[in-house]
């Protein structure tokens, strides 16, 4: 039902000059869901997240977020509506401490909700990522790859997202660390009811934590279904056989 709808994207088309990156993409995410967007390199996944968060302007189509059209709003305005994008390549401020990185994540939320709300968020983040509490005085640049990715996600959580967009949080991580990061995304939803739209290349691991998924190819959604349906899909199995 409309009440449970967090985001509803309809017929979204985006291009870079003459290159059309997305063609009539429709997708939705409901409250409390983890939805995964699967697809090969260059399929258009990052373009979709960047368009949702206002970094790119679509040629056409609509993005309804919590009942409001957000196409045309600035990225700043969209962030202020607690639609939070954690971009790929674990962007943390390497010369700041873990704690300082977390505080920066809460900047908008702080302006709105004050110090006490931030302390609540910190508690939540440390419950989910105890390693970050242990390392809170450490410079972010000296964390391991997996820890930096956890910090990047934690910084997103600090903004108290109503929708969290995660762009390939396992990129470049060893398989076991990738599993751990995806497990934390599942915890985030299970413990705190956070709604997540996730880009992943680890097809099986991400479908294992997701409720639903979409497959994008050459800028178009070519398949969608429940995680179970996609895990049992013959074409997906063939394409990704042997992938973790
Ligand atoms: P990856 O997993 O490699 O990041 P992706 O699915 O996220 O891939 P996008 O980065 O969204 O794919 O790219 C979609 C298409 O748009 C690709 O053909 C890409 O070359 C093109 N593209 C992306 N950014 C630009 C840009 N700034 N200028 C021109 N073309 C671009």
């Amino acid at each position: 039902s409309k009440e449970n709808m967090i985001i509803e994207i309809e017929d979204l088309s985006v291009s870079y000059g003459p290159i059309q990156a997305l063609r009539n993409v429709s997708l939705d995410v409901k409250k409390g869901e983890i939805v995964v967007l699967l697809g090969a390199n260059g399929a258009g996944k990052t373009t979709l997240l960047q368009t949702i968060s206002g970094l790119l302007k679509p040629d056409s189509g609509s993005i309804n977020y919590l009942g409001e059209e957000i196409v045309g709003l600035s990225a700043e305005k969209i962030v202020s509506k607690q639609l939070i994008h954690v971009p790929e390549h674990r962007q943390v401020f390497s010369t700041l401490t873990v704690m300082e990185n977390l505080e920066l994540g809460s900047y908008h939320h702080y302006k709105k909700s004050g110090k006490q709300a931030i302390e609540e968020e910190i508690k939540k983040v440390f419950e989910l990522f105890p390693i970050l509490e242990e390392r809170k005085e450490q410079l972010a640049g000296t964390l391991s790859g997996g820890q930096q990715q956890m910090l990047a996600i934690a910084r997103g959580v600090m903004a108290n997202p109503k929708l969290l967009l995660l762009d390939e949080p396992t990129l470049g991580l060893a398989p076991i660390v990738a599993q751990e990061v995806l497990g934390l995304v599942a915890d985030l939803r299970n413990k705190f009811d956070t709604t997540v739209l996730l880009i992943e290349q680890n097809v099986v691991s991400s479908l294992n934590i997701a409720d639903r998924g979409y497959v994008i190819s050459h800028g178009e959604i070519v398949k969608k279904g429940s995680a179970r349906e996609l895990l049992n899909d013959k074409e997906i199995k063939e394409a990704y056989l042997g992938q973790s």
Side-chain angles (χ1 to χ4, degrees):
S1 77
K2 287 277 172 208
E3 272 165 55
N4 288 327
M5 197 59 83
I6 296 287
I7 197 165
E8 189 169 25
I9 296 168
E10 276 180 356
D11 283 330
L12 197 71
S13 294
V14 181
S15 36
Y16 300 98
I19 301 168
Q20 187 160 16
L22 293 180
R23 198 182 303 268
N24 298 324
V25 165
S26 297
L27 169 157
D28 59 73
V29 185
K30 296 175 189 78
K31 193 168 172 19
E33 279 191 313
I34 298 178
V35 172
V36 63
L37 184 63
L38 303 166
N41 285 325
K45 304 180 301 295
T46 297
T47 299
L48 179 61
L49 293 201
Q50 289 183 337
T51 308
I52 294 171
S53 58
L55 298 169
L56 292 171
K57 299 287 166 236
D59 302 330
S60 58
S62 85
I63 304 175
N64 188 297
Y65 169 67
L66 301 175
E68 183 194 357
E69 179 60 47
I70 58 167
V71 166
L73 299 185
S74 68
E76 168 105 18
K77 187 81 192 163
I78 291 171
V79 170
S80 76
K81 295 176 183 294
Q82 292 162 271
L83 199 170
I84 306 299
H85 184 179
V86 179
E88 61 191 332
H89 309 305
R90 41 190 118 107
Q91 294 171 2
V92 298
F93 296 99
S94 53
T95 59
L96 299 182
T97 66
V98 167
M99 197 63 183
E100 287 165 342
N101 269 275
L102 292 175
E103 283 164 0
L104 280 174
S106 68
Y107 173 69
H108 272 284
H109 187 41
Y110 182 76
K111 281 202 300 191
K112 250 202 223 161
S113 316
K115 200 165 184 324
Q116 201 179 340
I118 299 310
E119 282 163 7
E120 292 288 306
E121 292 309 317
I122 298 244
K123 242 177 83 184
K124 181 163 135 181
V125 159
F126 285 162
E127 187 183 329
L128 205 59
F129 306 94
I131 187 76
L132 296 181
E133 182 162 27
E134 285 167 31
R135 303 298 176 93
K136 64 185 176 193
E137 302 305 333
Q138 189 172 328
L139 294 184
T142 64
L143 296 172
S144 74
Q147 291 164 353
Q148 286 189 30
Q149 187 57 64
M150 289 176 204
L151 178 57
I153 297 172
R155 211 176 56 187
V157 173
M158 288 299 298
N160 195 23
K162 291 187 172 149
L163 176 62
L164 186 63
L165 307 175
L166 297 179
D167 194 343
E168 287 204 54
T170 66
L171 189 71
L173 301 179
I176 193 156
V177 183
Q179 290 283 356
E180 194 184 343
V181 168
L182 288 174
L184 288 166
V185 173
D187 287 350
L188 185 60
R189 190 276 301 277
N190 296 340
K191 289 187 182 158
F192 303 112
D193 214 23
T194 307
T195 307
V196 179
L197 176 59
L198 170 74
I199 290 182
E200 260 301 329
Q201 303 233 16
N202 291 303
V203 174
V204 176
S205 318
S206 61
L207 285 173
N208 277 332
I209 66 153
D211 300 292
R212 291 189 297 119
Y214 293 81
V215 179
I216 186 168
S217 173
H218 302 289
E220 293 185 78
I221 302 289
V222 293
K223 222 179 252 295
K224 61 178 181 176
S226 69
R228 183 184 294 270
E229 281 162 2
L230 295 177
L231 276 168
N232 290 320
D233 185 276
K234 194 157 168 285
E235 283 172 5
I236 292 182
K237 274 186 175 164
E238 276 168 14
Y240 301 104
L241 199 71
Q243 270 209 14
S244 58

